[in-house]
């Protein structure tokens, strides 16, 4: 793996690249031992240090209750606030897809899954949740708007993931791992299932209420050791004793499906559509950026009467996510799917890979013909990312 | 933010005129202070105050109190798993179909059956409306069914026959007693009224359909009942010119139901195929419809081959139809 997806131009990404190469070589050996097509165990990488910022950077961040913006004006202040900033890369997908995404799912970012009905968006969400709780002790908030959370299916995927963890860990001694928080023994699924908190919502207002509740719970948590005032630290410790355990270690929020609750409010005589959309996107981004949590949302497509499909929430929603994966049915083989990266903030777009849905979740479909381009698929994208079929499914340049 | 609260347009404009911007500002006042400030009556002010305080739609809170508090809205996956394990499944008496769903018709989810006319949607609906009443002593759901008929296809005589078949299956166990709780809602069919009349206004149709789906999903989840919806099929022309049958009402409706089953009827045989489900894998099973209702495909007797079977099939259907004619 000597060439990475994307052009790493900035200082930040250069640092990341070198760290990644170091860990990649470590993981290459693991993959060799366990055979190809095996999932990576997630690792935590300290990706950015404030002293890498060579210039004065002005950062606006909103503190506390939305209204007051605090202006931080130079790298020293950044260092104080962001010095302890860890950005996690969660490799819970199959290797080819992780590569496509630049390592995996990044925390502090929003990933959007778009596709037709029954293409596998919910399966992807269930798989990500199951694997995350299998590999780590972190909590997942699963916001379910269409009662698609199926405990039995999650259990099935979890058993497989836990088996894999056991295999990997018995084949090498634990101190080789760069990460922390991995259990030395396989977890009973009942313990893991406590880490998944499912919120059932049925309309956009309830969704906003739930997001507000999560935000409030999280803002009571963080004991920020970078503040210099001792009394401040004591005060926060006191608060943290009383807060709910689930917000302690919340790593991911999954919303399935976001468009199902927002699309009824758009168009016609509906007067609240855009207000709701912006409120929801603001709430999600606030949580994601302030508390360094990964968010995954799903969105469906509707038919464009002329050709193909268009996103259900319209053009303006295409700017919401940091990364977007589009899922398609394989034009020739009904049992396979194609996942394409159609928007990204730090990797190259246009790459695609094939996959199948199996009892293990979504797995790589024997990558031999991964470079074939389905010519007949069309998807209207936003103006900045207008892609026609040839570009979208170009011969994958990744290794 | 005020604009994202479920308030009517006139109320939003009123609040904006009086310079209210956040929820906190509204519920910081008491309802009577709010009424004075906005110059509206007490009840309106109370409604606005409650909406600002609790955030979600006060109207729907009265529909199902179970989901009215935040704490009830959130469960751990473990509790969901346990709840699922404790559920009494709704059997349809067609074993293969029950196995296709895992353990019977799924409770707490909305299942859609689509198919050509004659595939057996209404038959299946009537049968499940009977089987849901199997008492809990016999490990059945023991509940009542609500059958919403939009196209006049419910035939009481046929339902009587099917109920007889269910009782026969239970080997003549006495009266089917049920508690007062409704455990099933059947909507036959959703497509009938929506296929025409919305030609120039697809957005309106989609919005109405989505809100129906949301209401039904919420009912299914909060009351832990099964909801079954029947749908028609329509032809979809692909680019190459060949057509294929696809469920009616378009892609927006496709996202609304949790599970989707396509019932096909060709060459005198009936097939059921899962199109969409979050927990069942895509399978196809064959079933048949007899005088007792929908059942598994009866195994072919080993002695008679080919022609003999077909004659038996024909005899059965002709006797059923003649029976029906006599009764009518």
């Amino acid at each position: 793996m000597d060439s990475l997806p994307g052009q790493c131009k900035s200082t930040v990404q250069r640092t990341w690249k070198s760290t990644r190469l170091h860990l990649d070589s470590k993981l290459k050996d693991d993959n060799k031992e366990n055979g190809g097509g095996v999932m990576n165990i997630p690792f935590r990488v300290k990706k950015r240090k404030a002293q890498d910022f060579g210039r004065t950077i002005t950062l606006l961040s909103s503190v506390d209750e939305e209204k007051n913006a605090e202006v931080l004006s130079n790298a020293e202040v950044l260092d104080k606030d962001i010095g302890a900033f860890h950005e996690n890369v969660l490799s819970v997908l199959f290797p080819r897809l992780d590569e496509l995404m630049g390592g995996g799912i990044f925390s502090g970012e929003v990933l959007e899954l778009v596709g037709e009905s029954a293409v596998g968006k919910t399966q992807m969400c269930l798989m990500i949740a199951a694997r995350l709780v299998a590999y780590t002790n972190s909590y997942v908030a699963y916001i379910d708007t269409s009662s698609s959370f199926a405990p039995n299916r999650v259990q099935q995927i979890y058993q497989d993931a836990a088996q894999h963890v056991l295999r990997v860990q018995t084949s090498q001694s634990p101190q080789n791992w760069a990460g922390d928080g991995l259990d030395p023994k396989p977890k009973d699924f009942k313990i893991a299932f406590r880490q998944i908190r499912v919120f059932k919502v049925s309309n956009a207002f309830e969704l906003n209420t739930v997001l507000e509740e999560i935000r409030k719970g999280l803002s009571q948590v963080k004991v920020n050791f970078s503040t210099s005032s001792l009394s401040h630290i004591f005060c926060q410790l006191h608060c943290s004793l009383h807060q709910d355990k689930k917000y302690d270690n919340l790593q991911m929020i999954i919303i399935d499906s976001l468009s199902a609750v927002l699309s009824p409010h758009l168009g016609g005589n509906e007067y609240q559509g855009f207000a709701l959309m912006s409120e929801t996107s603001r709430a999600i981004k606030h949580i994601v950026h302030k508390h360094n949590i990964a968010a995954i949302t799903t969105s469906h497509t509707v038919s464009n009467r002329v050709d193909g499909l268009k996103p259900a929430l319209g053009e303006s929603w295409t700017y919401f996510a940091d990364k977007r994966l589009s899922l398609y049915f394989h034009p020739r083989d009904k049992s396979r799917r194609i996942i394409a990266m159609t928007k990204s903030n730090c990797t190259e777009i246009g790459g695609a890979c094939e996959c199948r849905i199996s009892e293990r979740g979504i797995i790589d479909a024997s990558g031999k013909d991964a470079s074939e381009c389905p010519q007949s698929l069309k998807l209207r994208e936003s103006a900045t990312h207008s892609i026609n079929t040839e570009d979208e499914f170009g011969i994958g340049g990744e290794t | 933010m005020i604009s994202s609260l479920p308030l009517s347009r006139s109320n939003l404009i009123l609040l904006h005129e009086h310079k209210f911007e956040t929820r906190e500002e509204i519920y910081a006042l008491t309802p009577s202070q709010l009424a004075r400030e906005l110059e509206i009556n007490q009840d309106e002010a109370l409604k606005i105050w409650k909406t600002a305080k609790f955030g979600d739609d006060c109207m729907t809170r009265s529909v199902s109190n179970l989901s009215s508090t935040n704490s009830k809205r959130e469960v751990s996956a473990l509790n969901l798993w346990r709840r699922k394990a404790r559920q009494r499944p709704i059997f349809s008496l067609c074993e293969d179909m029950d196995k296709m769903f895992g353990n019977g018709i799924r409770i707490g989810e909305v299942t859609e059956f689509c198919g050509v006319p004659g595939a057996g949607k209404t038959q299946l609906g009537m049968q499940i409306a009977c089987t849901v009443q199997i008492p809990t002593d016999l490990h059945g759901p023991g509940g009542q069914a609500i059958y919403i008929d939009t196209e006049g296809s419910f035939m009481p005589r046929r339902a009587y026959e099917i109920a007889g078949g269910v009782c026969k299956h239970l080997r003549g166990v006495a009266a089917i007693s049920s508690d007062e709780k409704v455990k099933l809602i059947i909507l036959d069919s959703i497509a009938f009224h929506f296929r025409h009349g919305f030609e120039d206004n697809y957005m309106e149709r989609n919005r109405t359909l989505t809100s129906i789906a949301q209401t039904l999903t919420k009912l299914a989840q909060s009351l832990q009942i099964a909801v079954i919806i029947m749908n028609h099929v329509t032809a979809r022309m692909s680019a190459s010119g060949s057509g294929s049958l696809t469920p009616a009402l378009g892609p927006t409706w496709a996202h609304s139901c949790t599970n989707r089953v396509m019932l096909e009827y060709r060459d005198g045989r009936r097939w059921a195929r899962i199109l969409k489900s979050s927990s069942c894998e895509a399978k196809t099973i064959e079933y048949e419809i007899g005088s007792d209702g929908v059942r598994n495909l009866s195994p072919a007797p080993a002695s008679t081959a080919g022609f003999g079977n077909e004659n038996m099939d024909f005899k059965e259907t002709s006797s059923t139809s003649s029976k029906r004619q006599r009764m009518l």
Side-chain angles (χ1 to χ4, degrees), chain A residues 75-94:
Chain A
E76 289 162 14
V77 186
L78 260 182
D79 189 30
K80 184 179 84 157
D81 272 346
I82 305 183
F85 192 86
H86 286 249
E87 192 157 299
N88 302 320
V89 180
L90 309 165
S91 325
V92 286
L93 306 163
F94 52 93

Side-chain angles (χ1 to χ4, degrees), chain A residues 9-21:
Chain A
K9 289 214 168 79
S10 69
T11 330
V12 173
Q13 288 187 318
R14 243 180 276 150
T15 321
W16 173 71
K17 182 175 175 176
S18 56
T19 331
R20 174 106 205 281
L21 278 176

Side-chain angles (χ1 to χ4, degrees), chain A residues 7 9 24 49 51 64 71 84 99 114 118 129 143 184 251 373:
Chain A
Q7 302 295 316
K9 289 214 168 79
D24 274 349
K49 284 182 128 74
Q51 45 263 42
D64 209 24
V71 178
E99 250 184 79
V114 181
I143 303 181
Q251 279 262 310
C373 340

